[in-house]
Amino acid sequence: MSTANDAKNPVITDLCQLVYLSHITSTGLSNASTLNDIAEISIKNNNIDNITGILCYGNGYFLQCVEGTEQVLTNLKNRLLVDERHKDLTILDFSVIAERRFSGWSLRSITLERWMVNEPKLKSFMPFKPDLWEADECQQFLDILQSYYDEEVRSGDTDSQPIKYSTLGITLGKVVGQHQAFFLIQAILGGLIVLALLWLIL
């Protein structure tokens, strides 16, 4: 619990942090503007619920850190569990915090691959596979993102527009490209099955 003093009426708030990991689904991959759509809707809802945080996408993974009251984060978690754009949601942390890391971001979206190449501190996290991280590595990654946020605060550029269609399109293209052989084999097998069925019918 944390106490926010408002003149004569101190208010007790249960400020919490929710950090989760998930994988993008074929539904998410089928729409090149998935991350942009998520951010656009989330920013509107998060402003209403006073949720702040960051959403990272890379290598087929979502990693999100959001901050707010326990109740609003619980409600958010329940909505995330039924979102068909991702799967295998794993809660990495849901705990009380003393203050927000990203108080000026209703939700900031970052596509990681190209950004991480240009950020020396993040190169050690490539390729982006957060499900293989130790607990302290997740904390280190969030610390780096918080440093990035602090720099944005100094420059006066917080809570800028969510990631754009073309950037996510490049990223999703990369993910699909990495699985081209799998898709090709599936297509060939599908064709053989169709031919076998036709042969049996005829």
Side-chain angles (χ1 to χ4, degrees), residues 22-39:
S22 62
H23 294 86
I24 196 166
T25 61
S26 56
T27 300
L29 279 170
S30 66
N31 182 359
S33 63
T34 289
L35 190 56
N36 191 45
D37 294 342
I38 291 171

Side-chain angles (χ1 to χ4, degrees), residues 16-19 39 42-43 46-47 50-56 63-68 73 76 97 100-110 142 145-146 148-149 158-160:
C16 294
Q17 170 182 272
L18 167 64
V19 183
S42 296
I43 286 174
N46 290 352
N47 277 324
N50 196 24
I51 294 174
T52 55
I54 189 167
L55 171 65
C56 302
L63 178 68
Q64 185 169 21
C65 173
V66 284
E67 307 149 337
L73 293 185
L76 173 62
I97 55 175
R100 297 174 188 258
R101 286 178 178 268
F102 309 109
S103 58
W105 284 348
S106 53
L107 185 72
R108 181 64 181 267
S109 303
I110 293 180
L142 290 175
L145 294 182
Q146 185 175 2
Y148 175 63
Y149 166 76
T158 58
D159 217 10
S160 59

Side-chain angles (χ1 to χ4, degrees), residues 26-189:
S26 56
T27 300
L29 279 170
S30 66
N31 182 359
S33 63
T34 289
L35 190 56
N36 191 45
D37 294 342
I38 291 171
E40 185 175 348
I41 295 172
S42 296
I43 286 174
K44 179 180 178 180
N45 293 336
N46 290 352
N47 277 324
I48 295 172
D49 292 332
N50 196 24
I51 294 174
T52 55
I54 189 167
L55 171 65
C56 302
Y57 174 81
N59 199 30
Y61 294 91
F62 290 110
L63 178 68
Q64 185 169 21
C65 173
V66 284
E67 307 149 337
T69 66
E70 181 179 3
Q71 186 60 60
V72 298
L73 293 185
T74 298
N75 294 342
L76 173 62
K77 181 191 70 174
N78 292 336
R79 292 195 299 271
L80 291 169
L81 287 170
V82 296
D83 192 327
E84 296 181 350
R85 292 169 295 192
H86 69 158
K87 61 182 180 179
D88 305 327
L89 189 146
T90 303
I91 304 297
L92 303 180
D93 181 43
F94 196 161
S95 60
V96 175
I97 55 175
E99 59 183 357
R100 297 174 188 258
R101 286 178 178 268
F102 309 109
S103 58
W105 284 348
S106 53
L107 185 72
R108 181 64 181 267
S109 303
I110 293 180
T111 303
L112 291 172
E113 280 94 341
R114 294 191 175 190
W115 184 60
M116 291 172 75
V117 169
N118 298 320
E119 292 290 330
K121 292 181 180 179
L122 289 175
K123 285 186 178 180
S124 62
F125 293 95
M126 294 181 68
F128 185 60
K129 294 184 177 181
D131 56 342
L132 301 180
W133 291 353
E134 300 293 337
D136 62 328
E137 290 179 297
C138 183
Q139 185 63 43
Q140 291 170 25
F141 184 78
L142 290 175
D143 288 344
I144 293 170
L145 294 182
Q146 185 175 2
S147 296
Y148 175 63
Y149 166 76
D150 291 340
E151 181 59 36
E152 293 276 289
V153 171
R154 285 190 288 272
S155 67
D157 190 30
T158 58
D159 217 10
S160 59
Q161 292 298 312
I163 204 93
K164 295 303 179 184
Y165 170 94
S166 59
T167 306
L168 183 57
I170 291 171
T171 305
L172 295 182
K174 179 178 177 180
V175 173
V176 173
Q178 291 174 342
H179 297 85
Q180 281 180 348
F182 171 79
F183 293 144
L184 179 60
I185 291 171
Q186 294 299 310
I188 292 172
L189 290 175

